Amino acid sequence: MSAALVTGAAAVFCVLMAGLIVFQAALIAGAPLGHFAWGGQDRVLPVAKRLGSATSIGLYLIFTVLILQRAGLAEVIPWPGAVVIATWVLAGYFLLGIVMNGASRSKPERWTMAPLCAVLAGLTILVALS
């Protein structure tokens, strides 16, 4: 697989993660976008779900570091074997996300987050194969 393809996939992944971080930060700040997340029951998230959004931001940052390292664009995690395994686990996480978001009672969540998870799964698999 070409280095340019892997680098491009990692770059798109990072842009999407940055967008999700901004989205989760907006939810934490009280933006009325809750129908796109956490099952879609709340337009403005209650405190418990805002804490979940804060946790999501931390996870998204870890996911980004993981993808950058697997793509050969960063050297943060000192265990290369763990990075390979974790990248495949991350791909599985996004594949599960397609199912979970696709089953949401919230139509906006189904129509935005399920396809987003599909794109993220594809990008993660592409990088994992490198």
Side-chain angles (χ1 to χ4, degrees):
M1 185 169 322
S2 80
L5 180 62
V6 173
T7 299
V12 172
F13 182 94
C14 290
V15 168
L16 293 175
M17 282 293 110
L20 282 171
I21 287 169
V22 169
F23 170 69
Q24 294 292 352
L27 290 173
I28 292 167
L33 300 170
H35 55 292
F36 288 98
W38 303 111
Q41 291 95 4
D42 308 293
R43 295 286 282 183
V44 175
L45 297 185
V47 172
K49 289 181 182 175
R50 289 181 193 203
L51 292 172
S53 288
T55 301
S56 292
I57 290 173
L59 289 172
Y60 297 159
L61 292 170
I62 293 168
F63 297 167
T64 301
V65 168
L66 182 65
I67 289 296
L68 287 172
Q69 183 154 339
R70 183 69 182 109
L73 301 171
E75 185 77 31
V76 178
I77 303 165
W79 309 286
V83 170
V84 171
I85 293 167
T87 306
W88 284 108
V89 169
L90 183 58
Y93 170 82
F94 286 126
L95 290 169
L96 179 61
I98 297 167
V99 175
M100 298 300 289
N101 286 299
S104 174
R105 288 177 280 182
S106 167
K107 190 181 229 180
E109 186 174 20
R110 279 195 314 273
W111 287 98
T112 57
M113 295 305 176
L116 179 59
C117 280
V119 170
L120 289 167
L123 293 167
T124 303
I125 290 168
L126 208 148
V127 172
L129 288 169
S130 67

